[in-house]
Amino acid sequence: MEALDTVLAAHRAYLLGWNIGAAGGPDLPTYRSDVPHAPLNGVLRVAGRTPQDALAEARHRLDGVPRIWWVGPDSDAGTADALASLGAVEVARMPIMTVALGAAADVPIPAGLHIRETTDLDAFVSAYARVSGIASDGVATAIEREKAFTGDGTVIRLAGHLDDGRIVGTAVAWLSHGLLTLYFVGTQPEERRRGIGAALTRAALDLAGERGVRTAALTSTPIAEPVYGRLGFRTVGTFRLLTF
């Protein structure tokens, strides 16, 4: 299993691929997509900076966009509580989960579902935007940023289609640092509880395995943690997500 610091580095590399602003150094890396959706703008870690200085600089770089602070094992101890003392509010705790591909469970593909790589970013982004809560006025910017993505790795976008052509599920497979990291795994609300998200996750694992990758990682919502647990993922750390 890959070390946690490698998992965190791959996560930072993906979100920095959205950045069009000043990213800063490893002590305070930030990413700014200008998509009006907090998870697509934010601070990735605080290391060796006082919370007051970090807050002032981050506010300067990210002025005008909603954003979050990812405070995980790669930030200085006590960062989340220090930010809270400055007025930050914790909005979520997200488990960091990993699985060795050889230990992942097989899952069935739901009837009528066809999973394949897609380059139709207009349809793909529109589908995950609906699931992820990206407002309609931010979809065009999200599409532009996806088209201009510049991360240090390879992005493969998987879409789950029904026979009528509708995209009912999405997954972004991010290959970087020798890992597969998953993003935007989601199912359209009217098609949930059919195993579509699990099937897309398994398809991404198979694709990565064909390319020689041996470990997968993701950040999960607490409600989805048991779903990934059944696939073989295990929690190895936690992100505390904060906002001001």
Side-chain angles (χ1 to χ4, degrees):
M1 188 65 65
E2 296 292 336
L4 181 56
D5 58 356
T6 304
V7 173
L8 295 167
H11 175 71
R12 292 193 300 269
Y14 174 74
L15 289 175
L16 285 170
W18 286 82
N19 184 51
I20 60 169
D27 58 340
L28 189 70
T30 60
Y31 63 105
R32 178 181 183 133
S33 70
D34 276 353
V35 179
H37 181 62
L40 292 178
N41 311 277
V43 180
L44 289 164
R45 71 186 297 204
V46 180
R49 299 287 295 269
T50 68
Q52 292 87 347
D53 288 346
L55 176 57
E57 186 166 339
R59 279 180 165 163
H60 174 70
R61 293 188 208 164
L62 300 171
D63 182 52
V65 293
R67 63 267 192 183
I68 58 173
W69 293 65
W70 297 83
V71 182
D74 52 347
S75 286
D76 290 340
T79 294
D81 292 338
L83 292 172
S85 73
L86 297 173
V89 175
E90 184 172 308
V91 293
R93 294 197 181 200
M94 297 186 70
I96 304 165
M97 307 184 76
T98 64
V99 65
L101 267 58
D106 288 326
V107 297
I109 297 178
L113 182 70
H114 309 279
I115 299 172
R116 55 182 178 266
E117 185 178 351
T118 183
T119 57
D120 182 354
L121 292 182
D122 289 38
F124 184 77
V125 174
S126 296
Y128 78 55
R130 184 179 178 220
V131 174
S132 302
I134 298 174
S136 57
D137 61 357
V139 173
T141 303
I143 292 169
E144 290 175 7
R145 296 293 174 264
E146 283 274 17
K147 290 179 178 178
F149 188 88
T150 57
D152 181 16
T154 300
V155 169
I156 300 171
R157 301 170 179 93
L158 297 177
H161 297 261
L162 294 185
D163 292 333
D164 61 9
R166 286 182 297 131
I167 296 178
V168 293
T170 60
V172 171
W174 170 238
L175 305 178
S176 178
H177 292 70
L179 296 169
L180 161 68
T181 313
L182 289 160
Y183 295 92
F184 292 113
V185 179
T187 304
Q188 297 300 314
E190 63 274 13
E191 300 292 342
R192 288 177 181 159
R193 301 188 183 280
R194 294 182 52 200
I196 291 172
L200 280 157
T201 301
R202 181 69 236 196
L205 298 182
D206 291 341
L207 181 152
E210 292 169 1
R211 297 182 178 221
V213 173
R214 295 290 173 262
T215 304
L218 53 81
T219 53
S220 172
T221 60
I223 196 169
E225 189 174 4
V227 177
Y228 291 120
R230 288 192 289 272
L231 279 164
F233 284 84
R234 296 293 177 262
T235 299
V236 296
T238 302
F239 277 117
R240 294 174 68 179
L241 273 57
L242 296 100
T243 188
F244 283 88

